[in-house]
Amino acid sequence: MTALEPLWKIEEELAALLDSVETCPEEMIPELEARIARYVTAEVEKVDRVSAVLSSLEHVADNAKAEIDRLTERRQSAERAAARLKRYILYVLSTREGRPLKGHNVTLSARESEAVRITDPSAVPEEWKRTTISVEIPKDPLKKALKAGQSIPGAVLEKREHLVRR
């Protein structure tokens, strides 16, 4: 038995040893009990190592999420700064009576465009409106009804298994 053995193999060997307790000759009982103790210890250590790996992976995921959040904030900050700078450049261009700002590698100028802004959606005639249907199914009331024994077509109460670590 080595520390690198998979947990399932340790479990399998331990089960085989435990099954042989009743058929073991009396003089071999101390050796069998010592082997069982080694496998129990190995199983406990293996479970602890597996849990440590799981914790490590969860920390990696948490750190990645924190980094994503930090980079998202950085992106949003850069976008806000770029928008402020663009507004300032457009203000400067408006004071120059349409003359562009010229650099060595770039020329900045303003160009007008058109966009529709809806100021009062209820005032827009129906012929210009598009109606969409959105269906939402709240799961909490469904779960309560299914647990109470109610049969709901298209919905079932599913049992799931979750790992618990203490």
Side-chain angles (χ1 to χ4, degrees):
M1 170 184 58
T2 68
L4 298 176
E5 286 189 79
L7 185 57
W8 66 268
K9 186 164 182 162
I10 294 172
E11 288 266 329
E12 190 176 85
E13 301 265 342
L14 184 56
L17 289 171
L18 290 171
D19 286 344
S20 65
V21 168
E22 291 181 13
T23 60
C24 183
E26 191 71 32
E27 65 275 5
M28 300 292 288
I29 293 285
E31 182 184 332
L32 180 62
E33 287 175 344
R35 287 184 68 193
I36 289 172
R38 283 195 305 272
Y39 273 94
V40 167
T41 301
E43 180 178 30
V44 168
E45 290 172 2
K46 189 70 169 193
V47 167
D48 286 343
R49 284 194 299 273
V50 167
S51 180
V53 169
L54 188 56
S55 290
S56 176
L57 292 171
E58 289 169 345
H59 289 301
V60 168
D62 290 344
N63 288 338
K65 183 185 180 319
E67 184 67 4
I68 288 168
D69 292 345
R70 184 186 71 78
L71 289 173
T72 298
E73 175 55 37
R74 185 174 179 193
R75 176 185 53 85
Q76 291 170 343
S77 176
E79 289 171 347
R80 288 189 301 269
R84 282 191 307 270
L85 183 55
K86 286 177 186 177
R87 284 192 305 272
Y88 175 72
I89 293 168
L90 286 171
Y91 168 75
V92 169
L93 287 171
S94 73
T95 65
R96 294 173 51 90
E97 299 171 353
R99 292 189 332 263
L101 291 169
K102 292 186 180 189
H104 290 292
N105 300 317
V106 69
T107 300
L108 300 176
S109 61
R111 178 177 54 200
E112 287 187 0
S113 64
E114 295 176 336
V116 175
R117 185 170 58 94
I118 307 296
T119 57
D120 182 4
S122 62
V124 176
E126 288 299 317
E127 66 185 88
W128 298 105
K129 294 181 181 178
R130 179 177 59 190
T131 302
T132 59
I133 298 174
S134 175
V135 176
E136 290 184 37
I137 302 173
K139 291 184 179 179
D140 285 339
L142 268 177
K143 184 177 181 181
K144 287 177 185 173
L146 289 167
K147 283 181 106 172
Q150 188 175 347
S151 177
I152 302 171
V156 294
L157 189 59
E158 186 177 87
K159 298 280 183 185
R160 296 182 181 170
E161 191 171 48
H162 300 277
L163 180 62
V164 177
R165 284 186 297 147
R166 293 179 218 169

